[in-house]
Amino acid sequence: MARLVLNAVLAGHEGRVWQASWDTAGDRLATCSGDRSARIWTPLAPALFFAGAQGAEAMELDAGEQQTSGSWQCVETIDNAHKRTVRSVAFEPTQGRALATASFDGTTAIWEKEPGGDAYECMATLEGHENEAKSVAWSPSGQLLATCGRDKSVWIWESNGEGDFDCISVLMEHLQDVKMVLWHPTDELLASFSYDNTIRIWKDDGDDWCTAATLTGHMSTVWGGAFSPDGRYLASVSDDRTVRIWTQRAAAAAGGADAGFYVQPTLAYECVATVPDSVHTRAIYSVSWCGPAAGAPADDLGLLATGCSDNAVRIFRVAAAGARVGVELVHTLENAHGLSDVNCVQWNQAHPGWLATCGDDGTARIWRFEP
Amino acid sequence: MSFSGGLRLTDLNDYITPGQECIKPAQVPKTGQGGGSHIKVGQAGEYYEVTKDGEETKLETASITLNDCLACSGCVTSAETVLITMQSHHELLAVLDENRRLREAAEGDRARRVVVTVAPQSLASLAHKHQLPVPSVAQRLAGTLKAMGVDYVLDSAFSRDLTLVESAREFVERHRESEGRTGAGQSLPMLASWCPGWVCYAEKTHAEVLPWMSTTRSPQQAMGVVVKDYMARRLGVAPDRIYHVAIMMCYDKKLEASRSDFYSDLYKTRDVDCVVTTGEVDRMLAEKQIALADAPETALDSLTAGAAAQDGLYASAGTSAGGGLEYILSYAARALHGVSVSPEEVAAAGRGEATHPLLQVTAVRNQADHREITLLDPATGQPALRFAAVYGFRHLQNLVRKLKSGRMGYHYVEVAACPSACANGGGQVQPADPSSAAKKEWVAATERIYVAAGPRALPEDNPALHELIRDWFGEAGLDSDAARQALHTQFHGVTAKANPLGVSW
């Protein structure tokens, strides 16, 4: 019987933990919190831990656990990183040195530690959002950074190679609060998820970024999403308690010859699976996609994890079924963070089967999935 | 989700959109009956005052004035809807109707003189839509407006000449003051302040850049003071007896007209009473079933007794941002470095149509909307004056970032909040096809028409302008205190008010 086994509790934040993000190597986890700080955590012996050896042993699921497990440590605390809640955190993906944080104070900050230095220093502050910034994401190349916020806008920034960024686009097409931004794993496409119930896919048309597709179907706020690691599918989760899976369909170039010099490559997406609203009992805040194991059958699309305000973490097995996709619930872990919302779930892409979650109880937790 | 104490309330922030932050729903008049009454919200969201004995009175919904919006650090966008209702072509029509009624009642002396100023960018947009030459559109529009009862129709490119000359003088003065140095504590860079979208944004979010804003009035507000001061005196009427309408390319110009800096407490009147956008004019013509192509051609009015421009129209070299960069660079090259480069040469180099040995043009990150135009010192070949044009919100962000970090060596920056500047103003006539491809082509065509319509002469060679300056300010001309007073304005940083919903939770 498939199950999630708790292997570590990361305690230290003095407020709810909003997001947990692994670095590309999969050995460090960054978290951010309502206590206005960001933290970086790592196992004492990462290789051994993720091999299932040292320190990686099943713990009793005790919701009251508020001590960091002995096998992990908090290696960095960026205190007072912002004037208000730090809502989102992300490691720079190519070298993993820099860390971006987005805050309700409206700013996004870039932090870096000089080799041999003793603390992370703020290298750049990206201002522009009128109020709360909600999410920050680096493109896979590390060259672009996207942010979004309550002011309904999505901003794209480009690294100038000297630690600072230029604003290259301000996209104001969402009608409401934008909850999350997410880059496609291989193509230069950005997805944004909004309180206006839609998902937008953005693309560079050579001059500026523009909407390449608007995905409609969710009946309420879309809180977040995750691309499948091969980039073929996008999963989204919503306040409407459904999970939807979308895939790109070839579309004729809009307008064709009439469009003159500015042919807009327009993408079409189709919803190929919906997990009905009877499975999750409240708003779903977070979803993460773990690719299939090496050598798995071609129709195996891997695992989805969801974090929900009904306090549960759920695991689904995803498989292609012709043009559709089958999504099967294989495990429900109730009260993963006690009687608290689960704000974020994040598979470790470098160490398959390891999942980080964080919640309103002020902790992040590390789990191993046993199929 | 179970609420547990005040902590959870921070979540509520997620559900307040910027528009909703501005809540001023009901004004509660004191009924004088003492306590005991309460407010009830009706089904349609209307408010009722309910007295002790159950009597219900519907309350007036309080309206938000432009000044409320300007004084608030909140939304810029939702202010637009307020603007549209406060200043529109319906206001103009109401004034014309009132004048007609007064004249019919033999009270014509109580009628207000109606002056309409029209911007060259608006003329280009109408010319594009109606496929007519710009001078013809100007004269047909003048003919139409006069047939509707407008007394004077003026060309805002005339007041722009005044503004250009004064801006160039301001730049040279700032350059001498700072000896060409730029940055914190210096009077350079000088930032153009013609775009009210940019001014409003800077005042609300980046007050530290305000000392660099050019204080010379924009063409619209320069015409405002010309009409309400110079023209009023010439006509022998009080400023409030003139109703001054400006036809402009953008909604933000309405916001500019309503700034308290342009309001006379003495006469309770604004320099520009009402701004009507190009698109609103076009709709007004459609509503009145007037085809511009069939309208009579009437020459525009001249403010001075002397020579008007040949067809009543003025123009200046440069992009639809207005030609500030081109003229100021030309003027400063001459005044500060003894180099002769005409505004037209700067404009042509900027468009990439011509090269000039002393001008270096760079599109930053390959973006046409962020161009650097550098004047080289002929002796050393080194940059002598570094100018830039920055159009559109995203490039404006980088400008602000550079200004704040001190990593910017520009002497002058022409800023416009819209991509492609004012040809793309939000108030312009829009293409029928809403796709972004069609929009880009539409804006480019409007820009071409705008550029092709000018220029004829340098602003300082405009004889009517000289006559106006002499007549208005006397022998001291633009050096007089009166000119300084009349032609300059100021900027006000708006300090953010603490969000009452955000504190202590």
Side-chain angles (χ1 to χ4, degrees):
Chain A
M1 173 107 175
R3 62 177 189 139
L4 280 169
V5 179
L6 181 64
N7 272 243
V9 173
L10 315 181
H13 277 299
E14 290 164 16
R16 66 183 61 186
V17 183
W18 281 112
Q19 196 182 7
S21 303
W22 294 101
D23 68 352
T24 305
D27 290 346
R28 291 178 300 161
L29 185 75
T31 55
C32 60
S33 161
D35 68 5
R36 308 197 304 266
S37 77
R39 287 174 178 247
I40 299 175
W41 314 78
T42 178
L44 295 176
L48 292 172
F49 180 86
F50 291 115
Q54 190 180 351
E57 51 245 0
M59 298 169 58
E60 284 298 308
L61 176 54
D62 171 7
E65 186 63 69
Q66 291 294 330
Q67 294 281 313
T68 297
S69 308
S71 54
W72 278 67
Q73 59 182 334
C74 175
V75 290
E76 291 293 341
T77 302
I78 306 176
D79 264 326
N80 296 315
H82 288 275
K83 295 194 190 88
R84 291 183 60 194
T85 288
V86 184
R87 178 65 182 84
S88 179
V89 63
F91 279 107
E92 193 281 329
T94 63
Q95 296 171 340
R97 278 182 51 201
L99 192 72
T101 53
S103 163
F104 284 178
D105 68 13
T107 67
T108 300
I110 311 297
W111 306 86
E112 210 169 306
K113 186 155 84 171
E114 293 302 318
D118 34 79
Y120 273 75
E121 283 176 40
C122 180
M123 308 297 286
T125 303
L126 312 185
E127 294 180 329
H129 284 291
E130 258 181 71
N131 39 47
E132 288 89 335
K134 294 289 176 77
S135 171
V136 59
W138 299 83
S139 69
S141 68
Q143 289 304 299
L144 301 176
L145 196 70
T147 61
C148 66
R150 192 185 123 197
D151 62 7
K152 310 174 194 177
S153 65
V154 172
W155 294 52
I156 300 176
W157 308 80
E158 185 175 52
S159 165
N160 67 5
E162 295 153 25
D164 204 354
F165 288 80
D166 290 326
C167 166
I168 60 167
S169 200
V170 182
L171 305 163
M172 301 198 256
E173 290 180 43
H174 275 297
L175 304 176
Q176 292 294 341
D177 199 350
V178 187
K179 299 295 186 185
M180 183 184 176
V181 280
L182 173 73
W183 290 95
H184 188 278
T186 54
D187 303 343
E188 211 163 78
L189 288 177
L190 179 72
S192 60
F193 305 85
S194 168
Y195 184 47
D196 69 10
N197 304 354
T198 71
I199 302 158
R200 279 177 184 266
I201 309 287
W202 308 89
K203 196 176 162 80
D204 186 356
D205 78 349
D207 171 41
D208 198 352
W209 286 69
C210 59
T211 300
T214 305
L215 282 54
T216 56
H218 278 297
M219 310 294 284
S220 185
T221 304
V222 193
W223 281 100
F227 281 104
S228 61
D230 65 7
R232 284 190 297 155
Y233 297 94
L234 173 65
S236 60
V237 291
S238 162
D239 221 69
D240 68 9
R241 308 195 308 273
T242 68
V243 182
R244 283 169 187 263
I245 295 181
W246 313 79
T247 192
Q248 202 175 313
R249 287 275 176 262
D258 297 334
F261 294 125
Y262 304 99
V263 176
Q264 280 193 40
T266 297
L267 308 175
Y269 281 78
E270 165 180 26
C271 179
V272 288
T274 303
V275 176
D277 61 7
S278 53
V279 176
H280 296 81
T281 63
R282 286 175 187 272
I284 314 166
Y285 290 147
S286 176
V287 59
S288 180
W289 199 317
C290 174
D299 60 357
D300 183 355
L301 299 177
L303 299 169
L304 280 187
T306 61
C308 184
S309 56
D310 65 9
N311 310 338
V313 173
R314 291 177 177 80
I315 307 291
F316 299 84
R317 193 170 291 288
V318 191
R324 303 285 299 174
V325 164
V327 185
E328 178 202 356
L329 178 68
V330 293
H331 181 57
T332 302
L333 176 73
E334 306 281 0
N335 299 331
H337 284 261
L339 296 172
S340 298
D341 292 1
V342 180
N343 293 320
C344 178
V345 291
Q346 206 64 244
W347 289 108
N348 188 325
Q349 301 292 345
H351 303 295
W354 290 89
L355 180 76
T357 63
C358 59
D360 279 0
D361 64 343
T363 69
R365 288 167 185 242
I366 310 294
W367 313 81
R368 199 177 70 245
F369 179 66
E370 294 181 349
Chain B
M1 199 157 59
S2 47
F3 277 93
S4 65
L7 250 184
R8 293 277 181 181
L9 290 174
T10 47
D11 273 355
L12 291 178
N13 271 349
D14 276 0
Y15 305 106
I16 300 166
T17 63
Q20 290 169 314
E21 216 175 313
C22 178
I23 301 174
K24 217 186 159 190
Q27 223 159 17
V28 187
K30 294 272 180 218
T31 50
Q33 297 175 349
S37 67
H38 64 273
I39 308 279
K40 186 181 110 178
V41 183
Q43 282 187 338
E46 71 279 30
Y47 292 82
Y48 294 92
E49 183 183 19
V50 186
T51 58
K52 248 190 238 164
D53 39 359
E55 190 188 328
E56 292 189 3
T57 325
K58 190 173 177 194
L59 292 173
E60 290 292 315
T61 303
S63 62
I64 301 154
T65 69
L66 283 176
N67 288 330
D68 289 331
C69 292
L70 286 168
C72 168
S73 63
C75 50
V76 180
T77 43
S78 67
E80 273 187 20
T81 50
V82 185
L83 290 166
I84 291 163
T85 52
M86 294 258 316
Q87 300 183 26
S88 73
H89 61 278
H90 299 293
E91 290 279 315
L92 167 63
L93 294 176
V95 170
L96 293 174
D97 282 346
E98 173 70 6
N99 278 353
R100 200 169 301 122
R101 197 188 59 75
L102 288 169
R103 290 197 181 103
E104 277 163 12
E107 292 178 85
D109 52 328
R110 286 180 53 214
R112 283 189 283 177
R113 312 283 178 101
V114 180
V115 179
V116 174
T117 297
V118 56
Q121 292 90 343
S122 294
L123 292 175
S125 179
L126 289 169
H128 180 202
K129 156 100 189 265
H130 296 281
Q131 298 290 306
L132 291 165
V134 169
S136 167
V137 162
Q139 298 189 359
R140 288 174 200 277
L141 184 63
T144 305
L145 291 169
K146 289 195 168 185
M148 287 165 59
V150 170
D151 298 290
Y152 301 92
V153 179
L154 303 173
D155 174 10
S156 85
F158 176 79
S159 58
R160 186 170 65 188
D161 277 359
L162 178 60
T163 283
L164 284 171
V165 171
E166 185 60 12
S167 300
R169 288 159 44 90
E170 182 188 349
F171 177 78
V172 168
E173 195 179 305
R174 282 172 177 259
H175 193 279
R176 291 202 167 120
E177 197 181 300
S178 71
E179 294 170 334
R181 288 187 298 266
T182 64
Q186 303 293 345
S187 50
L188 291 180
M190 181 164 108
L191 308 174
S193 61
W194 289 6
C195 169
W198 153 237
V199 169
C200 186
Y201 180 71
E203 287 185 326
K204 284 187 177 181
T205 56
H206 302 288
E208 53 276 49
V209 310
L210 296 179
W212 291 312
M213 285 277 187
S214 164
T215 58
T216 304
R217 283 182 177 228
S218 70
Q220 170 179 295
Q221 294 309 133
M223 190 58 106
V225 69
V226 166
V227 167
K228 292 286 174 102
D229 186 39
Y230 174 76
M231 191 178 179
R233 275 195 255 164
R234 269 204 36 197
L235 293 173
V237 298
D240 59 338
R241 302 314 302 156
I242 297 178
Y243 187 74
H244 183 199
V245 178
I247 298 176
M248 287 286 148
M249 68 305 280
C250 112
Y251 286 102
D252 297 7
K253 285 281 174 191
K254 298 177 191 240
L255 203 65
E256 183 184 21
S258 69
R259 290 171 72 90
S260 56
D261 308 270
F262 304 126
Y263 180 75
S264 157
D265 279 326
L266 181 60
Y267 291 103
K268 307 257 179 287
T269 185
R270 293 184 189 286
D271 289 345
V272 177
D273 294 284
C274 176
V275 173
V276 178
T277 65
T278 321
E280 287 167 339
V281 167
D282 197 53
R283 275 202 294 285
M284 178 179 79
L285 296 176
E287 280 166 21
K288 295 201 154 282
Q289 298 180 318
I290 295 167
L292 265 190
D294 305 330
E297 295 195 1
T298 307
L300 271 69
D301 294 283
S302 171
L303 280 157
T304 56
Q310 222 173 3
D311 50 15
L313 286 186
Y314 298 90
S316 50
T319 70
S320 64
L325 179 146
E326 291 80 1
Y327 179 70
I328 294 169
L329 182 55
S330 163
Y331 184 98
R334 196 170 4 129
L336 297 167
H337 298 280
V339 175
S340 169
V341 184
S342 75
E344 286 189 275
E345 287 172 319
V346 179
R351 289 193 296 269
E353 291 170 5
T355 56
H356 188 285
L358 294 180
L359 293 175
Q360 212 170 52
V361 180
T362 320
V364 178
R365 293 181 50 257
N366 237 350
Q367 295 283 336
D369 277 351
H370 186 175
R371 275 175 296 113
E372 295 177 347
I373 302 186
T374 305
L375 176 82
L376 303 176
D377 185 313
T380 65
Q382 291 304 305
L385 288 172
R386 300 161 71 100
F387 278 41
V390 173
Y391 305 153
F393 194 62
R394 57 183 171 142
H395 300 309
L396 200 148
Q397 292 304 322
N398 296 322
L399 172 70
V400 170
R401 289 177 66 71
K402 285 198 181 123
L403 282 169
K404 284 181 154 183
S405 70
R407 288 181 288 113
M408 203 193 67
Y410 299 142
H411 294 104
Y412 175 85
V413 190
E414 178 171 82
V415 191
C418 295
S420 311
C422 305
N424 186 28
Q428 297 283 53
V429 180
Q430 300 295 315
D433 177 352
S435 74
S436 77
K439 178 81 197 271
K440 277 178 188 167
E441 185 42 45
W442 179 267
V443 168
T446 304
E447 178 81 21
R448 284 194 295 273
I449 291 167
Y450 172 86
V451 168
R456 288 171 192 81
L458 285 175
E460 70 237 43
D461 295 338
N462 177 344
L465 188 64
H466 281 279
E467 194 185 328
L468 174 109
I469 291 169
R470 246 194 340 271
D471 200 20
W472 194 4
F473 302 123
E475 278 311 307
L478 293 177
D479 291 324
S480 67
D481 285 344
R484 221 188 143 69
Q485 184 72 30
L487 298 178
H488 288 263
T489 183
Q490 50 192 338
F491 306 98
H492 322 273
V494 177
T495 41
K497 291 188 187 112
N499 173 4
L501 296 165
V503 289
S504 80
W505 291 344

